[in-house]
Amino acid sequence: MELKGKIALVTGASKGIGKATAELLGNSGCNVIVNYASDQNGADEVVSVLEELGVQAVAIQADISNKSDVESMFSEIKKQFGTLDVLINNAGIFDMNDSPESLEAFENVFKVNFLAQVMVTNEAVKLMKTGKIVFLSSVHGMIGHGRPDAIAYSAMKAGLDSYMKNLAKHLAPDILVNSISPGKTLTPMWGEMDDKTKNEMAQDHLTERWIMPEEIADGILFLLKNDSVCGEILTVDGGMALKTLG
Ligand SMILES: NC(=O)c1ccc[n+]([C@@H]2O[C@H](COP(=O)([O-])OP(=O)(O)OC[C@H]3O[C@@H](n4cnc5c(N)ncnc54)[C@H](OP(=O)(O)O)[C@@H]3O)[C@@H](O)[C@H]2O)c1
């Protein structure tokens, strides 16, 4: 797909992977809607970068787990752009209380990372005649031996993979749907870390370093440009899945 002049919505684009993706899409000639939840400064900075690249950009605040926020965001998109070609379902959270016993963490994680994506996707599809949708999965959705302190997060990402594949079948050939599955990517999601922890966690990858958000954005760009990948999960994990299986 030629990206120049296309309209793209990136959810959670005020920082991290969403920010890197929004900026790469702008570099490829897309006009970008920069969704954010609370970080208006971050979103405004991304909009400035995009405007300097010569594309149209707008920041829209919307908690994607809130139905009326999502509806308002899409009526604004309809008013300003009239259509949508690309949806990057990126916004997400990690709940620090994630554990096998915490029903609250399960509810929170599934509400913000899963049901919200379904809500956003359903609204987006109403504006998309053709185009591409990409979900942010995680290598934790497919690592079979699990990580109990990320049990809700892992179950949610595994569920998202199944949802993505069913949706791909439902929307093809007009809209192609895929996921990208990152390993540990250096973004604000990980919070503050001392150097020792950061270095130890880098070793979870065969590449022995953290993945950069721009490397995930690069994978997303591939999924958008290529018109024969459909219902696929592109793993960009520095060999983490292989390493943890050993
Ligand atoms: N980082 C990793 O290692 C990693 C690995 C695998 C998968 N992923 C996935 O990649 C995606 C992005 O992660 P990241 O690391 O870039 O996260 P991040 O740095 O924490 O950024 C999260 C973004 O999502 C937005 N957001 C959170 N809740 C929202 C809501 N309810 N409504 C709208 N926006 C919301 C935030 O907006 P505000 O800042 O404005 O509140 C922010 O822009 C997530 O789906 C995550 O699960 C990340």
Side-chain angles (χ1 to χ4, degrees):
M1 185 172 85
E2 168 60 51
L3 290 173
K4 198 162 188 293
K6 295 287 193 301
I7 315 293
L9 165 63
V10 183
T11 65
S14 57
K15 54 171 69 74
I17 293 169
K19 171 184 159 79
T21 304
E23 293 179 357
L24 188 58
L25 291 186
N27 245 315
S28 310
C30 276
N31 302 308
V32 186
I33 298 129
V34 176
N35 160 253
Y36 69 100
S38 59
D39 183 4
Q40 187 178 349
N41 287 343
D44 286 345
E45 273 174 33
V46 176
V47 167
S48 298
V49 170
L50 291 167
E51 285 174 345
E52 273 180 29
L53 290 168
V55 296
Q56 258 183 287
V58 60
I60 302 185
Q61 192 282 332
D63 172 354
I64 59 154
S65 66
N66 179 301
K67 195 164 185 284
S68 68
D69 276 18
V70 171
E71 285 170 354
S72 308
M73 174 168 71
F74 278 95
S75 62
E76 195 54 40
I77 295 171
K78 193 172 178 185
K79 199 165 88 189
Q80 290 201 34
F81 298 94
T83 186
L84 191 68
D85 305 294
V86 170
L87 167 64
I88 312 298
N89 267 313
N90 166 77
I93 53 151
F94 184 84
D95 190 317
M96 298 311 275
N97 295 316
D98 199 339
S99 77
E101 293 78 25
S102 176
L103 190 58
E104 274 178 12
F106 273 88
E107 283 172 349
N108 189 27
V109 163
F110 273 82
K111 184 177 175 205
V112 178
N113 295 313
F114 191 111
L115 294 174
Q117 319 283 343
V118 176
M119 205 147 63
V120 168
T121 302
N122 286 347
E123 289 300 317
V125 164
K126 292 180 194 166
L127 289 182
M128 294 174 78
K129 289 188 190 71
T130 58
K132 301 281 170 78
I133 298 176
V134 178
F135 288 88
L136 267 290
S137 184
S138 164
V139 75
H140 286 296
M142 61 181 177
I143 294 179
H145 59 265
R147 184 181 148 201
D149 64 352
I151 190 168
Y153 184 83
S154 305
M156 172 276 292
K157 292 293 189 187
L160 202 60
D161 289 348
S162 169
Y163 169 70
M164 179 279 292
K165 282 181 183 281
N166 279 285
L167 193 71
K169 201 163 181 175
H170 180 60
L171 295 177
D174 299 328
I175 300 172
L176 300 188
V177 185
N178 291 287
S179 285
I180 190 156
S181 188
K184 290 177 178 167
T185 308
L186 200 55
T187 70
M189 182 177 264
W190 290 95
E192 289 295 315
M193 280 179 286
D194 56 44
D195 284 348
K196 185 170 173 285
T197 310
K198 203 166 150 186
N199 291 335
E200 277 170 10
M201 287 172 70
Q203 302 310 313
D204 287 346
H205 306 102
L206 291 178
T207 49
E208 299 178 353
R209 65 169 181 83
W210 281 80
I211 298 160
M212 291 296 126
E214 291 74 17
E215 295 177 290
I216 304 303
D218 220 26
I220 292 172
L221 190 67
F222 163 75
L223 293 172
L224 297 180
K225 282 181 163 178
N226 188 290
D227 293 327
S228 290
V229 192
C230 180
E232 200 48 67
I233 303 166
L234 175 63
T235 302
V236 182
D237 72 342
M240 181 176 158
L242 269 182
K243 173 136 189 175
T244 50
L245 283 175

